[in-house]
Amino acid sequence: MQALLVFLAIAALSLLASSPALDPGRFPALARLAAGGFLFLLFGVVLGPSMVGVLSPEDLQLMRPVMALGLGTAGVILGLNLEPRLLRLLPRPVYAAALAHSGTAFLFVAVPLVVPLVLTSRPSVVAAVGAASLLGAAASLSSGHFAVLAYRGGRMDRARGLGVALLTMLDDALGLAVLAVALVLGAGSNPGEGLGLVCLAMLLGVLCGALLAFLTHAMNDLAELTTVTLGMVALVGGAAAYLRVSALLAGVACGATLALVGGRTVERVARALGRVERPVFLVVVFLVGSGLYTRDWAAWALVPGFVGLRFLGKVVGGRLTQRLARGVLELPPRVGYALIAQGGLALCLVAEYEFLVPGTLARRVLDVVVVGAVVNELLAGPAFRQVLPPPPPREPPASAGVGVAT
Amino acid sequence: MKGAVVRLLLLVGLLAIISRAQVLREDAGTPVTLAAGALLLCGLFAGKVAKGLGLPRLTGYLLVGVAVGPYALGFIPGEGVKGLDLVKGLAVSLIALVAGTELRLGLIRRVGARVALLCAAVCGVTFTVCLAATFALKPVLPFLAPMTWQQALAVSALVSTVVVSFSPTVTIAIVQETSAKGSFTEFLMALVIIGDLFVMVAFALAAGLTRASFGGGLDVTGLLSGVGWELFGSVVVGGVLALVMLLYMRGVKQELPLFLVGLSFAAAEGGTRLHLSPLLVSLAAGALIANLDEREGERIHHAIQRAGLPVFALFFAAAGAGLKLDALMTVGPAALLLVVLRGLAIWFACRRFAPADDPRLKQYLWMGLISQAGVTFGLAALVSRTFPTFGPQVEVLIVAMITAHELVGPVLTRRALTASGEVRTDEAQATA
């Protein structure tokens, strides 16, 4: 019955998100949250065990298969974006620029926050380092949706909009790499076992990706192609959840393998997955939100630090990025302000970490990132306006006394 | 077909690797998503293999489910298959919704009375034969042996009502697969649907009598209100759903398949919680829409048909994985006897009572009535829950029968449709 409630709540929210009640002119912040899916995150927090309690911790446990499916899907979509031909074409300074803004934000958040994490929870140093690096990884990620919307709306030129979007796509790699390292440190009883589990996830993904490429090779029926794609996404996420390894990393390996060996099929598979991307994303953010534990005061105390340091890291990293990408990538001035929106991958990273690394520290990381994601999304709008050119001054209206020749 | 075999073998190989890798871990995570993905993929390719062999796709779905499921190769854990109950409920609702859109008023006027009469005859004969056989097996069946003869008679009646039930899901799936259309197909579909309504009423009465024979007292009012709620409540809720769907289709007009899946999910889950019949709820909704607005009925039909491939593949592969092969071993002889007697009773009733104006009904109709699936599973589980002293053993017997019926039923149903000459796809030629 709870599952039914969840789906009905999501359906109601989907209707709300597309309703004229959320007119950007009337409630811009709320409309932005709805458009980015973060309204679902808030709704999950409200319905979760910590607040209204419509969903109990047992219900969330029962929803784990759905979460595994969501993480697997997110991973495969990310992996499919790793198009080898395109990646080879990118010059080195672009990689350096992406690393600059994400790496700076990572260091600005991870290094200072390791201290309060050790002091407030007294875990082993390795666990605190793992948790702090996950916070840093979440901070390093940015979403390019503001830039894309701006160039589509004609408020930013196309080259600059795409430049920002490219940077935000490349920073996903750092986030995923840190997740892998954090899992090596925390998912097993020792780093050796942790490494084995990460390798198992990748191997599983590679096998599934290669098999998906073979299964869909020369498949012409669209319904069959969609069925096989969705089945394989469920299989890779499900197998990872069953083996208790990372569904996200397995999905990425699956998608990347398919992108490498899939040939012409890749585009059709990506299109099939594109149809379920939005609903899956909304369900995932809803479930991540409902997992928030609101009574952890230490987590609340960390949120200002997380948001503030990330902001600072992005601004400073943006300057570095601009310097490194000069002449190669066209970027707007003060590009750091365009990188404040956080995006959904950060939520996937911390959700995965909380699944696989037991303990209160992983939950605290999730709490901080969930609240931080909402705050960053609210900050992102005003921050993005800083990088847009000022609107052209309006022509003064013609005075009544001026005659017009006819 | 060769390509499908290779793909299926590769998939099974991957599942074998995953299950071997799991052994290396101390404990397992949730296997539900794995089960969903694996059964969907294996079902799809097994369906292609079955088609290549001249069998219904559905048989392929079922057999591959049995093969990779927990009772054969064990690549899919039992917990994973059980976790798919939600999907099964959804599939039954969707299938019933499509079936409902076929129930037009004109059709009911044309064949309603004749179908109801034949249905009463088939159900009556089958029930009588199975009741006599089950009661005669009292000394052999462990759960009947210690009972008084009155109790044994009541339990035999209960078992026989469940055994009589047909499978609208299998029939509809085969009709969809073969695109069969015509008077014979209409008659068969109407008969399996009305037959299940008969069974629902009979089951409620038999359960009340059984409870009374075990000292629970015969609560006639409770019995009638329970049956009334299940039947009329389902129709009323179905009517409300139909109105919601019509409003959506006329007002929103977007994402219809997604909306139908959501609503069917709500019908399945909500119906079960409210002690209604999800099958009847969706059936009533579909029938009302088709009769109120024929064009919208057609839209629903096509929207669900587009989503039909994954739904059928997953539903029937999961049903196959849930078939308890070990049950077939323990109560095999008794179950096999009942399977044969049920088949003979249905064959005899059709030969004797089917309308004479269409000789195909006398000859082939019985083949379409052999399958058993969702409804029978549900009733068996209900017996198990309601009568914990002997119910679980009854469930084992009935599940053993379902296993046998699932393996031969779809093949016979398709043969009936092919023999009737109403199959419209090229499959008719392939199997002829």
Side-chain angles (χ1 to χ4, degrees):
Chain A
M1 195 65 179
Q2 300 295 346
L4 175 64
L5 273 176
V6 170
F7 284 106
L8 289 180
I10 290 170
L13 262 180
S14 304
L15 287 177
L16 179 69
S18 57
S19 91
L22 286 173
D23 179 14
R26 286 160 68 192
F27 309 106
L30 204 60
R32 246 195 327 270
L33 281 181
F38 285 84
L39 199 61
F40 289 68
L41 189 74
L42 284 176
F43 202 63
V45 173
V46 172
L47 289 187
S50 280
M51 289 188 80
V52 178
V54 172
L55 290 169
S56 64
E58 292 75 34
D59 295 327
L60 293 183
Q61 196 73 24
L62 286 174
M63 296 302 285
R64 285 212 164 182
V66 180
M67 196 67 184
L69 180 65
L71 291 172
T73 310
V76 174
I77 291 171
L78 276 171
L80 277 174
N81 287 334
L82 299 175
E83 209 176 307
R85 198 166 47 86
L86 188 71
L87 292 176
R88 271 197 299 271
L89 282 176
L90 288 177
R92 250 182 225 172
V94 173
Y95 289 104
L99 186 66
H101 87 85
S102 56
T104 311
F106 172 81
L107 290 174
F108 268 58
V109 170
V111 176
L113 290 189
V114 76
V115 181
L117 282 174
V118 172
L119 293 177
T120 53
S121 53
R122 297 184 195 285
S124 72
V125 177
V126 173
V129 168
S133 47
L134 239 291
L135 282 177
S140 72
L141 299 169
S142 297
S143 168
H145 67 278
F146 275 98
V148 173
L149 289 175
Y151 87 70
R152 279 190 191 156
R155 288 177 297 137
M156 180 183 265
D157 68 80
R158 187 180 154 81
R160 286 180 172 179
L162 287 178
V164 175
L166 181 64
L167 284 182
T168 59
M169 276 165 68
L170 290 175
D171 65 23
D172 293 348
L174 180 76
L176 290 168
V178 175
L179 174 70
V181 174
L183 291 179
V184 167
L185 294 177
S189 53
N190 57 61
E193 190 188 335
L195 182 66
L197 294 177
V198 170
C199 289
L200 181 60
M202 304 300 274
L203 180 68
L204 177 72
V206 170
L207 283 176
C208 288
L211 189 53
L212 179 58
F214 181 66
L215 293 182
T216 51
H217 175 68
M219 191 173 262
N220 293 321
D221 187 288
L222 187 66
E224 269 187 8
L225 183 91
T226 307
T227 306
V228 172
T229 303
L230 295 182
M232 189 53 86
V233 167
L235 182 65
V236 71
Y242 182 50
L243 297 172
R244 292 195 305 106
V245 296
S246 171
L248 190 63
L249 293 178
V252 171
C254 174
T257 308
L258 181 65
L260 197 67
V261 300
R264 281 180 302 166
T265 318
V266 178
E267 199 188 320
R268 292 188 301 153
V269 168
R271 223 178 302 142
L273 272 180
R275 277 199 285 274
V276 296
E277 186 177 359
R278 175 112 181 124
V280 166
F281 172 68
L282 296 181
V283 174
V284 167
V285 294
F286 176 87
L287 290 176
V288 172
S290 57
L292 183 84
Y293 183 67
T294 52
R295 281 162 226 161
D296 183 0
W297 302 116
W300 285 104
L302 285 170
V303 170
F306 173 77
V307 175
L309 290 168
R310 179 179 182 274
F311 199 100
L312 206 61
K314 285 289 173 191
V315 173
V316 175
R319 278 188 205 143
L320 269 174
T321 301
Q322 218 134 24
R323 205 172 299 162
L324 289 167
R326 192 172 294 151
V328 182
L329 198 63
E330 198 159 339
L331 294 171
R334 306 167 86 187
V335 68
Y337 287 93
L339 301 168
I340 301 302
Q342 198 167 313
L345 181 60
L347 300 174
C348 293
L349 288 187
V350 291
E352 188 73 283
Y353 187 66
E354 204 232 347
F355 274 167
L356 297 173
V357 179
T360 53
L361 209 51
R363 198 172 66 186
R364 186 165 297 162
V365 168
L366 183 122
D367 294 348
V368 173
V369 174
V370 167
V371 180
V374 177
V375 178
N376 284 328
E377 195 66 18
L378 290 173
L379 285 175
F384 194 80
R385 277 199 287 274
Q386 307 296 314
V387 300
L388 291 175
R394 282 187 182 175
E395 296 273 327
S399 64
V402 176
V404 178
T406 54
Chain B
M1 192 186 97
K2 197 177 155 194
V5 173
V6 172
R7 283 166 169 80
L8 184 60
L9 287 176
L10 282 173
L11 271 168
V12 174
L14 179 67
L15 287 179
I17 292 172
I18 292 168
S19 68
R20 289 303 303 161
Q22 205 291 313
V23 176
L24 303 173
R25 303 281 278 137
E26 276 174 16
D27 55 346
T30 169
V32 180
T33 321
L34 168 73
L39 289 173
L40 180 58
L41 288 171
C42 290
L44 186 78
F45 289 102
K48 282 171 178 274
V49 174
K51 189 184 167 192
L53 292 172
L55 293 168
R57 281 203 185 92
L58 206 142
T59 305
Y61 303 155
L62 285 164
L63 287 177
V64 84
V66 171
V68 299
Y71 301 102
L73 293 172
F75 294 159
I76 312 276
E79 204 189 320
V81 179
K82 204 169 169 352
L84 291 177
D85 281 352
L86 216 62
V87 182
K88 287 188 199 166
L90 169 70
V92 168
S93 268
L94 280 175
I95 291 167
L97 197 61
V98 177
T101 59
E102 303 273 357
L103 289 180
R104 303 255 163 73
L105 214 57
L107 168 72
I108 296 168
R109 277 205 204 104
R110 211 166 52 242
V111 294
R114 290 194 305 162
V115 168
L117 279 175
L118 179 60
C119 194
V122 172
C123 290
V125 170
T126 314
F127 174 80
T128 311
V129 169
C130 292
L131 174 68
T134 315
F135 190 65
L137 287 171
K138 180 178 180 289
V140 186
L141 288 171
F143 59 90
L144 280 183
M147 292 179 189
T148 64
W149 73 266
Q150 291 97 331
Q151 288 172 338
L153 195 62
V155 173
S156 299
L158 185 70
V159 173
S160 303
T161 53
V162 182
V163 167
V164 166
S165 64
F166 308 122
S167 174
T169 42
V170 170
T171 310
I172 295 162
I174 296 283
V175 168
Q176 296 248 317
E177 187 184 315
T178 54
S179 304
K181 220 172 177 71
S183 58
F184 181 87
T185 309
E186 281 176 352
F187 205 95
L188 174 62
M189 279 186 40
L191 202 140
V192 289
I193 290 166
I194 293 175
D196 266 355
L197 297 185
F198 276 29
V199 167
M200 278 178 213
V201 176
F203 178 81
L205 296 173
L209 286 172
T210 308
R211 208 174 290 120
S213 75
F214 280 88
L218 188 58
D219 178 9
V220 179
T221 320
L223 200 66
L224 292 177
S225 64
V227 174
W229 170 243
E230 187 167 351
L231 291 180
F232 297 108
S234 299
V235 173
V236 170
V237 172
V240 174
L241 277 188
L243 288 179
V244 172
M245 280 187 218
L246 279 176
L247 283 176
Y248 182 90
M249 285 192 288
R250 287 174 184 176
V252 183
K253 295 179 183 171
Q254 283 175 344
E255 300 291 353
L256 184 60
L258 207 62
F259 176 77
L260 289 176
V261 166
L263 211 65
S264 298
F265 186 74
E269 275 291 284
T272 311
R273 303 285 159 175
L274 294 170
H275 299 289
L276 298 171
S277 159
L279 186 92
L280 202 50
V281 170
S282 298
L283 202 67
L288 267 171
I289 289 174
N291 288 293
L292 288 175
D293 189 331
E294 198 172 325
R295 203 168 57 91
E296 300 296 9
E298 285 289 320
R299 271 184 73 200
I300 288 187
H301 198 101
H302 291 308
I304 297 179
Q305 258 187 337
R306 278 206 297 274
L309 178 72
V311 170
F312 287 152
L314 182 54
F315 174 72
F316 287 108
L323 292 178
K324 294 170 182 161
L325 295 183
D326 50 349
L328 201 59
M329 302 299 161
T330 50
V331 287
L336 209 60
L337 178 68
L338 284 174
V339 166
V340 171
L341 287 175
R342 177 180 177 270
L344 284 173
I346 291 173
W347 171 80
F348 170 77
C350 287
R351 297 286 288 199
R352 178 78 183 76
F353 300 109
D357 57 338
D358 187 346
R360 295 176 305 170
L361 295 174
K362 280 191 185 290
Q363 273 183 293
Y364 310 123
L365 193 67
W366 69 274
M367 290 193 267
L369 303 176
I370 298 298
S371 291
Q372 283 188 321
V375 175
T376 321
F377 265 124
L379 292 178
L382 202 58
V383 172
S384 180
R385 278 202 306 274
T386 316
F387 303 100
T389 47
F390 64 85
Q393 293 176 68
V394 171
E395 192 186 9
V396 169
L397 176 74
I398 293 170
V399 169
M401 290 183 69
I402 295 171
T403 308
H405 286 135
E406 288 272 50
L407 297 179
V408 293
V411 180
L412 286 175
T413 303
R414 202 173 81 162
R415 186 165 288 183
L417 292 173
T418 311
S420 74
E422 293 184 353
V423 171
R424 294 194 171 193
T425 59
D426 55 351
E427 285 177 40
Q429 293 159 358
T431 54

